[in-house]
Every structure is written in C-alpha cells, then in structure tokens.
Amino acid sequence: MDTEAAAMADSVHSIAADLPTLHFGGKEHIIQTGCGSVSVTVYGDQKKPPLITYPDIGLTHKSCFEGLFVSPESASLLLHNFCIYHITPPGHEIGAATLSIDEPAPSVVDLCDQILVILNHFRLGSVMCMGAMAGAYILTLFSIKYSERVTGLILVSPICRAATWNEWIYNKIMSKLLYYCGMCDLIKELLIYRYFSKGVCGDLQVPESEMVRACKKLLDERDSINVMRYLQALDRRHDITKDLESLECKTIIFVGDKSPFLDEALHMKTILGKKCFHLVEVHPCGSMVPEEQPHTMLIPLEYFLKRFGLYRPCQFNDSPRSPLELCCVDPGLLYPKRMGLRLRPIKTRVSSPKPRANKS
C-alpha cells in the first residue's frame, strides 16, 4: 500500500508539473462610442471564437471574474477555446477620469448599444456572453435587441425585472453617499454584501476573507461618481420579463443561494423554460459565484459549451486538461454536495392510462 500511495503522489506531482503557469497580461483598448469611451481588455488569440464579459456595479473583470479564469482548469475550458474580451463599465477602469455630472447618465439601453460598437470595432460576429448581476441584465438586453450577434448567454445572479421600491430607496441612499461621501467604508460594506455571502464577509468572531479584503482594496480605486452613474442606469432599468420569451439563444444561469438576486434568477429560469440549459444554484455562496465558488462553474460550463461545438480539448501533454478528466480534478468535486451544488428534484407528471373500450 505504501508503494501504491507513493506512486499516486508522484503521479499527482507530475500532473501539477505539466500545468503551465498562466499569465494574464491582456491588452487594453479604448473604444470611442456615442456615449463616451469604453475600456476593453483582450486576452488570447483573436482568431478564436469571442467571449465577452460585463461586470457588476463597482467592479472590473479582475474583481468580478478573475477567480474563474486564473486556474489551469479554467484555461483549458475558456482561454484555450476563446479569445476573451473583458468590457469595463464606463469610468470603472483604473485611473479613469470622473465622468461629467452635467451630462445625463447613460441608460442601460445606451450601455447595451455600446457593446454593439465594441463588437463592430473588433469585427466580431456572433459572441458568447458572460455577465454578472447588472452586467447580466445588460448582456441579456443586448441579446434581445441584437439576437443575431449572440451565440449563448452565461449569466451570474442575473436581474430581469425593474427595481422594486425597496431597491429604489436603497439605490437612492447609495447614490447620495457616493456623491457626498465618495467611496467611504459604508458604501464598500453595502457593495460587499451585494457581492458575497456572510460566510466570507466575516463578523465579530470570524475575520473577513482575503477575497473580501482584496475586493475592498479594488473598490478604493473606483471613482465614486462613475460608480454612481452606473448605479443610476441600473436603477432606471425596465422589466424585460416579456422580452425573454423572444430570446433565441441558449442560456445557463449560476446563482448563490445567499444572493439577493436568487428570486430573480429563479423567475428568469421559469420564463426562459427550455431555452435555459440549466440553473445552477450554488451553496453556500453569494452573488459572485466566479469569485466565491469558481470550481462549481467548470463542469456545467463544459457541458454547456459542448452543445455549441465550441469546446476543443487540449491536444498537448503540457496543456491544461479538461476539468472533466479525473486526473485533473478532485474526485470529490464530481459529487453535487462537494461541488457546492444544490440539485432540485425533477417533478414528473405521469398521466393515467386511458381505459380500453370493451370489445363487443
């Protein structure tokens, strides 16, 4: 047994040695649109199929999606198969100038139309889309308005209905604080509880996680007025529930069971019906599944992408391996409870057989 254990240990070390170190330099492009400039960071070979991302309020791709993209398994699934175009909300890039408050804030429709300008700038046809919270709403709206430009939707804690009265009041308070107090500690706490579950936010007994501390540090780099304008755009969004019925592309939804947008995601799944490939409810987790529980996204994403013919396994021994290969993933992750997934039972309706007519 000791010999077998040593052999297994050597095998694990050899597998780890085969996985390359990933570098995420990316190239930033500033695209001029009718509603101002937008920063887009491009990773990978632009000859590959495009995948665009759009983050939530106060975030960039580094604070919203990097947890998903940094592992070798994710490189096998995403960076190996796609060229990634990370779209940054207006004024959210590092060192961005304060947007003028004398001009009207762009609406969600304006932000949606900016995406079309970006795709045309890079001469992209149909793209795969990945958005989180507010970014998920904007990409869904884009998919409805420009259906021919979207291959599929990967949504994280999505929103599809108009703001409720409680959310409207909450956003008004946040907007006032952002305007008069800047990116103060209270604003950061409100945003952190929007993003993460209480388990990683910490309390009097348990310190907050390194992930939360890093996110707060990145929030310090955001211009408060620019964050306020994104928040105002989201606050004035309209209900797109009825429009979801005309959505043509396949969709997969990830949401944490502690997310304030859980009900929105379940509502969206109901409206989409068969157009929704799957709804993955992750626990214990907040809204930011790519940061808090990124490993739970890999296997569902691989199956989702295979339906489009976009998944290509790596052909070389020194390339990152598929997350479905047992030599590359903890076997415990293949069990739903270990993955952090809550699988809902499937209800089936069995019709009673019709009575046969008696033969005379």
Side-chain angles (χ1 to χ4, degrees):
M1 292 294 293
D2 293 340
T3 304
E4 292 179 2
M8 290 178 65
D10 291 340
S11 175
V12 171
H13 287 306
S14 65
I15 291 169
D18 287 341
L19 297 176
T21 302
L22 303 176
H23 300 282
F24 298 91
K27 183 178 180 181
E28 184 181 21
H29 301 257
I30 303 298
I31 314 300
Q32 297 298 326
T33 73
C35 296
S37 60
V38 181
S39 170
V40 181
T41 305
V42 181
Y43 293 84
D45 184 357
Q46 291 184 253
K47 295 180 181 179
K48 293 182 179 179
L51 183 153
I52 67 172
T53 72
Y54 209 107
D56 190 38
I57 293 166
L59 301 176
T60 66
H61 68 276
K62 289 187 176 180
S63 47
C64 192
F65 299 109
E66 193 172 57
L68 176 64
F69 283 90
V70 293
S71 70
E73 291 82 3
S74 297
S76 169
L77 182 61
L78 298 172
L79 295 177
H80 176 67
N81 292 283
F82 292 97
C83 180
I84 315 297
Y85 297 80
H86 290 300
I87 301 174
T88 302
H92 278 52
E93 66 272 15
I94 296 177
T98 302
L99 300 174
S100 173
I101 59 174
D102 296 328
E103 299 178 3
S107 66
V108 287
V109 175
D110 294 329
L111 298 178
C112 168
D113 291 339
Q114 282 183 335
I115 297 173
L116 181 64
V117 176
I118 292 167
L119 299 193
N120 291 339
H121 173 86
F122 289 106
R123 299 181 180 179
L124 303 178
S126 182
V127 299
M128 184 67 67
C129 299
M130 180 187 295
M133 293 92 94
Y137 177 92
I138 291 167
L139 289 180
T140 304
L141 182 62
F142 179 79
S143 303
I144 293 168
K145 192 172 181 181
Y146 303 103
S147 58
E148 72 282 358
R149 306 299 293 269
V150 178
T151 304
L153 275 174
I154 303 166
L155 304 179
V156 180
S157 305
I159 307 167
C160 64
R161 291 179 285 198
T164 63
W165 280 108
N166 286 340
E167 183 186 351
W168 184 82
I169 294 172
Y170 183 85
N171 289 347
K172 287 297 180 185
I173 294 172
M174 284 191 64
S175 294
K176 294 293 184 183
L177 287 171
L178 284 166
Y179 183 80
Y180 290 107
C181 303
M183 190 59 70
C184 59
D185 289 341
L186 178 56
I187 284 291
K188 285 188 284 187
E189 290 298 328
L190 292 174
L191 289 173
I192 287 297
Y193 279 103
R194 173 188 175 93
Y195 306 149
F196 300 107
S197 64
K198 293 182 179 179
V200 297
C201 290
D203 51 32
L204 295 176
Q205 287 76 33
V206 181
E208 62 187 13
S209 68
E210 181 62 34
M211 178 198 323
V212 173
R213 288 195 292 270
C215 188
K216 285 183 176 180
K217 186 176 180 180
L218 290 171
L219 284 174
D220 285 330
E221 299 174 350
R222 301 284 82 78
D223 184 286
S224 59
I225 299 299
N226 298 349
V227 174
M228 180 190 73
R229 290 171 72 83
Y230 190 7
L231 181 63
Q232 289 173 340
L234 183 68
D235 198 35
R236 297 194 299 268
R237 71 185 185 272
H238 58 278
D239 192 326
I240 58 173
T241 297
K242 292 184 179 180
D243 297 321
L244 290 175
E245 298 174 0
S246 63
L247 191 66
E248 297 180 4
C249 62
K250 286 286 185 182
T251 304
I252 186 169
I253 298 174
F254 296 90
V255 63
D257 67 336
K258 307 301 182 185
S259 169
F261 308 111
L262 175 60
D263 288 341
E264 285 280 314
L266 296 175
H267 172 71
M268 196 168 181
K269 169 69 171 75
T270 301
I271 300 301
L272 287 173
K274 293 182 180 179
K275 295 175 185 176
C276 183
F277 174 75
H278 220 305
L279 184 146
V280 182
E281 186 178 330
V282 185
H283 72 98
C285 189
S287 300
M288 294 258 284
V289 183
E291 289 296 305
E292 198 169 336
Q293 298 269 11
H295 61 278
T296 63
M297 298 181 66
L298 295 177
I299 293 176
L301 274 179
E302 181 161 336
Y303 281 115
F304 179 67
L305 296 176
K306 280 184 175 180
R307 293 178 66 92
F308 298 93
L310 293 174
Y311 172 74
R312 298 179 301 108
C314 295
Q315 301 296 323
F316 304 101
N317 291 334
D318 60 348
S319 297
R321 294 172 171 79
S322 163
L324 290 184
E325 294 184 21
L326 294 180
C327 64
C328 187
V329 69
D330 180 0
L333 297 181
L334 299 179
Y335 295 90
K337 290 184 179 179
R338 290 288 300 278
M339 286 181 65
L341 303 182
R342 179 189 298 168
L343 302 182
R344 295 175 176 272
I346 300 174
K347 297 180 181 179
T348 57
R349 181 180 298 174
V350 181
S351 57
S352 302
K354 295 181 180 179
R356 296 182 179 179
N358 293 329
K359 294 182 179 180
S360 56

